[in-house]
Amino acid sequence: MTTGNTVQQLLKYFRFLTSATNQHGVHSPFVYAYVTKCLYKKKPYRTSKSMKVLLKSTAYFNVERIRFLGDDGLCKALVLENFPNIEMVSEAADIVFLPKNAPYGSVKDFLSHENAKHNDTMLFYDAPHGSPQNEAIWQALKAHRKVTVTIDMFYCGAVFFRREQAKEHFKIRI
């Protein structure tokens, strides 16, 4: 990463912080519970902030099936190390992991297949602000008609498809 990119990322992060909130700015019971009982809960995972969110979410939602859109062997190994009984699947997962370098086509394919997700599926997006392409994918996810809740944590993002939930977008400091 060049110095210009580093400065640019730092500026993006400061802009994010000015508009982000903590649990006190959340009015959705589902999101409030997720933030307070999962994201802000101390867990002994020794990894990046983004991967901590993935592991905490896996535990919080009692995930049985996970799908990886892209080949992220290190992430798969980390998940299996912490959750050895989790099943890697290609359809109807509880969590779908979208790596930071995923092409837009894989996201578009995932969203277009109805059997690829269920009401309680969480799409986990690593580094939604990592590049202009990632930001474009993040914006497309937020705008998708089936997406009801997005939680931007700067390092990662969570996308939910809950039919009973009103469409809302949150920025949460972690």
Side-chain angles (χ1 to χ4, degrees), residues 115-148:
N115 60 346
K117 57 196 166 304
H118 52 75
N119 190 58
D120 297 321
T121 296
M122 178 181 119
L123 175 75
F124 177 88
Y125 190 22
D126 189 20
H129 301 285
S131 71
Q133 178 185 340
N134 288 18
E135 288 188 348
I137 290 172
W138 182 244
Q139 293 305 318
L141 285 168
K142 287 172 43 176
H144 192 272
R145 62 183 173 76
K146 295 278 186 175
V147 170
T148 55

Side-chain angles (χ1 to χ4, degrees), residues 30 34-35 38-39 50-63 65-69 92-98 110-111 116-126 138 141 147-151 153 156-162:
F30 170 76
Y34 177 61
V35 170
C38 176
L39 297 180
S50 182
M51 292 302 103
K52 282 182 187 176
V53 170
L54 176 63
L55 295 173
K56 286 179 179 182
S57 297
T58 301
Y60 177 75
F61 291 117
N62 295 312
V63 170
R65 297 172 312 279
I66 191 166
R67 177 180 180 188
F68 288 86
L69 296 178
D94 302 316
I95 288 184
V96 176
F97 178 82
L98 181 62
F110 166 74
L111 291 172
K117 57 196 166 304
H118 52 75
N119 190 58
D120 297 321
T121 296
M122 178 181 119
L123 175 75
F124 177 88
Y125 190 22
D126 189 20
W138 182 244
L141 285 168
V147 170
T148 55
V149 174
T150 59
I151 303 172
M153 297 164 265
C156 58
V159 177
F160 297 93
F161 305 90
R162 299 166 44 88

Side-chain angles (χ1 to χ4, degrees), residues 34-106:
Y34 177 61
V35 170
T36 58
K37 295 177 181 174
C38 176
L39 297 180
Y40 288 170
K41 194 158 186 128
K42 300 288 183 205
K43 291 280 186 177
Y45 300 122
R46 295 188 179 274
T47 186
S48 68
K49 283 189 179 191
S50 182
M51 292 302 103
K52 282 182 187 176
V53 170
L54 176 63
L55 295 173
K56 286 179 179 182
S57 297
T58 301
Y60 177 75
F61 291 117
N62 295 312
V63 170
E64 295 176 3
R65 297 172 312 279
I66 191 166
R67 177 180 180 188
F68 288 86
L69 296 178
D71 185 30
D72 195 326
L74 291 174
C75 184
K76 284 181 188 177
L78 183 64
V79 169
L80 285 172
E81 176 185 321
N82 287 279
F83 303 96
N85 296 326
I86 204 162
E87 183 182 355
M88 305 286 174
V89 297
S90 60
E91 295 292 328
D94 302 316
I95 288 184
V96 176
F97 178 82
L98 181 62
K100 58 184 151 207
N101 58 358
Y104 180 69
S106 65

Side-chain angles (χ1 to χ4, degrees), residues 15-30:
R15 278 194 299 267
F16 170 83
L17 286 177
T18 62
S19 60
T21 187
N22 58 17
Q23 76 270 17
H24 299 297
V26 174
H27 302 291
S28 161
F30 170 76

